[in-house]
Amino acid sequence: MGKHSAKAPQRAGTNEGEARPQVQAPLPDVPRGHHAGARTHHGASAARAVAMPHGAANPNAPRYSRAKGAGDYIEKRQRRGRHHVLRAVLLVLVALVVASGVAVAAYVHHINTAITSGVDDKLRDTLVETKDPGDPFYMLLLGIDKDEGRAESKDYGKDYSAYRTDTIILARVDPRNKKVTLISIPRDTLVDLGSNGKQKINSAYSFGGAAYATKVVSEFAGVDISHYAEIDMDGFAKVVDAIGGVTVDLPVAVKDPKYTGLDLPAGKQKLDGKTAALLGRARHAYDSYGGGDFYRAANQRMLIGAVIKKVMKGGASTIVPTVTTLSGYVTTDMDVTSIASLASGFKGIDVEKDLYSGQCPTLSQYVDNTWYEICDTTAWKKIMDRVNKGLPPYEDASQDFTAGVAGSVGVSTSTGDDSSSSGAGAGGATQVTPEYAGTVLVLNGTSTAGVAGNGASTLTGAGFTATTNDAPSLQAKTTVYYNGDAEAKAAGVAKTLGLSAAPVKNDGSWDTSTDVVVVFGADWVDGSAKSADATGTTGTTSTGGNAVSDTN
């Protein structure tokens, strides 16, 4: 039988604004049918085997003389009239602002109530908090066919016992390094549920709901799980429509006339919500390659990546309707503030480079007229060891057996460097292990308000203590300077902000009271530096770099 290797930032003299964008959720699925025969998970056929079962005022007004008479009196009364009008308008505007504040508060409360209402104390007790906000954490993403129709029907109802999880994705989220890893776990994977016997892992939800499913996956993967999210069948389609569709690239045509009705050509194409959701269900389109479930899971990860890419690129104008839509279909322990804070830290993420993807390796076996996936525990441990280190899941390309057939996202296989995230040196010449602590002065050297504030917010979320101010002059390039022996901290700052340019030792031109100084330049566009290099020049010469201005 073949194997399936398978805190707000402290600010100095500034009132910079902050933007907080936001997230992703798993795809639901349809009930599983029979596989197209026993197979290895590399797509090759094999003999069957049997085994146990995301206004200014004017202070210098002239004095009036008696000679001016009635005309001046009339003019004065008219000015008073205008002041009354302006005052009335001002009062109306103040009232509107207050009302807006109430409306925003009500909106946030409504969203929080909607997305967290299904989270009980058992689930919260199962989740394990991280020690530091910037530490990597695991989140369980479940897709369940639990739409309103089923929940209100006699056959299913609202109780969790009537449902199984159709999609199981374990996500590792690394806020400091802006990395996300998605690992699919086959729903038919055989696990020992103790008093419930040996069962498919997707049945854990029906035995004990979200809390029990989380516990089972945590033990199966050997990691603590800090957050949880589940989405029902209709949710993913509506989210995709809310963001205006997603673009995917299919290696081969997807034809599934009998089940989903899909007939998609190979190549890059834009999908609406309905089509995207169907693609996330279409396993029978891959029956000729072996186990359709595994190719479907790869497509699901691709679709999640496409949503993340679209949402993060769109900013607040995309995030607000996305969160609003998600609130009707998602259950999670995270509130809106937490989601927004996390999303803010991932601004500028490159999905093609910073998202890793893979799945649990299993063996397919047929027992008593039922297909099971038997975990290859040795290979699974190796994969999880790599994931825990922040590496792509696979050691070599041969383990990524769905590549070239199903869709893909990000990185699955190492490129030869198995060291943990390190080095901000130009061209990799200097290797420094990033540190995520210390003091940082963030200076706005651009003509755009709020840049330093947003950067400081991101750095604070990663563990730094950040303050902001304006640079003494406009700067062309974004540069990170370090004082004394704080090069590792500067590397952490650069990594957090997504900068590839090497930090530069401060020669005294910039403030020396903090560990690190970040100077944002004109190349900082949409959360990333488009042309920063390691020369240490800033394009605009400044003198007395320590004498920063008092206002932004």
Side-chain angles (χ1 to χ4, degrees), residues 306-428:
V307 170
I308 293 174
K309 185 176 183 178
K310 187 73 174 286
V311 171
M312 297 306 289
K313 183 178 180 180
S317 61
T318 302
I319 292 170
V320 172
T322 303
V323 172
T324 302
T325 302
L326 277 171
S327 66
Y329 303 91
V330 169
T331 297
T332 178
D333 67 292
M334 299 182 72
D335 59 22
V336 172
T337 302
S338 298
I339 294 172
S341 178
L342 182 62
S344 176
F346 275 88
K347 186 176 181 180
I349 184 175
D350 186 339
V351 172
E352 299 306 316
K353 296 179 180 179
D354 299 325
L355 194 152
Y356 298 157
S357 173
Q359 57 188 301
C360 173
T362 60
L363 301 169
S364 296
Q365 297 186 354
Y366 195 64
V367 183
D368 297 332
N369 299 318
T370 303
W371 279 104
Y372 293 93
E373 294 301 325
I374 312 302
C375 178
D376 182 339
T377 55
T378 300
W380 178 228
K381 185 179 184 304
K382 288 181 179 179
I383 285 177
M384 288 308 301
D385 284 344
R386 293 177 59 80
V387 172
N388 282 327
K389 293 177 182 178
L391 298 171
Y394 303 138
E395 292 179 328
D396 59 73
S398 66
Q399 295 175 284
D400 189 7
F401 67 95
T402 64
V405 179
S408 62
V409 62
V411 181
S412 294
T413 306
S414 287
T415 57
D417 179 12
D418 271 7
S419 61
S420 58
S421 298
S422 65

Side-chain angles (χ1 to χ4, degrees), residues 103-114:
V104 170
Y107 168 80
V108 172
H109 176 73
H110 168 73
I111 298 297
N112 282 336
T113 300

Side-chain angles (χ1 to χ4, degrees), residues 483-504:
N483 292 310
D485 58 357
E487 186 176 7
K489 296 175 182 178
V493 168
K495 187 73 174 178
T496 300
L497 295 174
L499 298 171
S500 60
V504 178

